[in-house]
Amino acid sequence: DGGITQSPKYLFRKEGQNVTLSCEQNLNHDAMYWYRQDPGQGLRLIYYSQIVNDFQKGDIAEGYSVSREKKESFPLTVTSAQKNPTAFYLCASSTRQASNQPQHFGDGTRLSIL
Amino acid sequence: AQRVTQPEKLLSVFKGAPVELKCNYSYSGSPELFWYVQYSRQRLQLLLRHISRESIKGFTADLNKGETSFHLKKPFAQEEDSAMYYCALYGQNFVFGPGTRLSVLP
């Protein structure tokens, strides 16, 4: 189904490489988010964006970068500075960055280090 | 600081039995609380939020500010309730708990 599309589903990275995870939404949502999910730790917020050309750091932004050039797209780059990048990454969106707006999630991307 | 704890990693109950998934939070302001659910091979999705005071799929959750809890309850569990459940808080940002896997046995 539509909504939020994350690609690829699986991604492998060599040490020292940057990789970019794609997140696209057709829900006309203003706000978009990136989370990292590790076993037993729930979801941790990496970056979020409330509007085009604006984004804010979450709790674990070090070693990651984002851009928000278009409303429907919020790609996440995992840089070589991220020392432990192996994880499951989830993208989400909501109508706006407000407390009572539910988030819609993608299927996720699993990143592994070769 | 914001924090959400879910003390049970796994909760197993028999079909028809009551179920309670525990969630405790810490936040100095007035939080918004949510429960999200992920069924097998499906996306993480919103189940309910405290502000709506609604019952979804027979589940309810009451915000207890005195005990800083937002436990999820259902009087009679069904097999299709088996899933991963996450409690989430919105204060300054969204914070998710580690999750509880509910297994409803036949």
Side-chain angles (χ1 to χ4, degrees):
Chain A
D1 56 337
I4 297 184
T5 302
Q6 289 187 242
S7 61
K9 196 168 184 177
Y10 299 96
L11 188 57
F12 299 92
R13 189 190 96 169
K14 292 182 180 179
E15 294 212 18
Q17 276 185 337
N18 293 352
V19 289
T20 298
L21 284 62
S22 171
C23 179
E24 304 276 331
Q25 53 100 359
N26 61 5
L27 301 168
N28 200 32
H29 284 171
D30 289 312
M32 297 187 74
Y33 314 80
W34 273 105
Y35 292 92
R36 172 181 169 137
Q37 188 174 28
D38 295 285
Q41 294 195 42
L43 282 68
R44 291 184 290 168
L45 183 64
I46 304 173
Y47 269 98
Y48 64 96
S49 168
Q50 300 182 42
I51 196 169
V52 174
N53 293 323
D54 181 68
F55 47 83
Q56 306 294 329
K57 291 182 178 180
D59 299 320
I60 55 165
E62 186 175 350
Y64 299 98
S65 66
V66 293
S67 63
R68 188 86 187 277
E69 297 177 1
K70 297 185 295 183
K71 187 176 185 178
E72 58 271 22
S73 179
F74 191 42
L76 173 75
T77 297
V78 184
T79 75
S80 57
Q82 171 51 241
K83 297 306 177 189
N84 186 23
T86 297
F88 189 64
Y89 292 87
L90 279 170
C91 180
S93 71
S94 65
T95 52
R96 56 192 171 98
Q97 170 70 346
S99 59
N100 60 351
Q101 300 304 312
Q103 297 192 344
H104 298 253
F105 285 86
D107 287 325
T109 293
R110 187 168 296 281
L111 176 62
S112 301
I113 298 300
L114 291 177
Chain B
Q2 306 174 119
R3 191 178 178 196
V4 176
T5 58
Q6 295 178 250
E8 303 131 334
K9 285 186 179 179
L10 173 65
L11 183 63
S12 295
V13 299
F14 286 103
K15 177 182 173 182
V19 62
E20 181 179 53
L21 287 82
K22 291 185 168 49
C23 171
N24 289 88
Y25 67 89
S26 61
Y27 180 61
S28 56
S30 292
E32 298 281 351
L33 276 298
F34 305 81
W35 277 99
Y36 281 81
V37 61
Q38 188 167 27
Y39 301 102
S40 178
R41 299 195 180 118
Q42 293 188 28
R43 296 179 179 185
L44 190 62
Q45 58 187 288
L46 178 71
L47 179 62
L48 56 79
R49 45 191 169 176
H50 94 270
I51 196 171
S52 300
R53 297 184 178 274
E54 57 199 346
S55 174
I56 303 293
K57 299 184 179 183
F59 284 98
T60 59
D62 291 318
L63 178 60
N64 185 324
K65 292 187 177 181
E67 295 183 358
T68 60
S69 68
F70 188 56
H71 303 328
L72 184 68
K73 300 177 183 179
K74 185 170 183 177
F76 307 103
Q78 303 298 315
E79 289 183 68
E80 56 265 30
D81 295 329
S82 296
M84 193 75 181
Y85 291 80
Y86 294 94
C87 182
L89 172 154
Y90 182 85
Q92 298 165 326
N93 273 318
F94 278 101
V95 175
F96 285 78
T100 296
R101 181 168 297 282
L102 175 64
S103 178
V104 181
L105 308 171

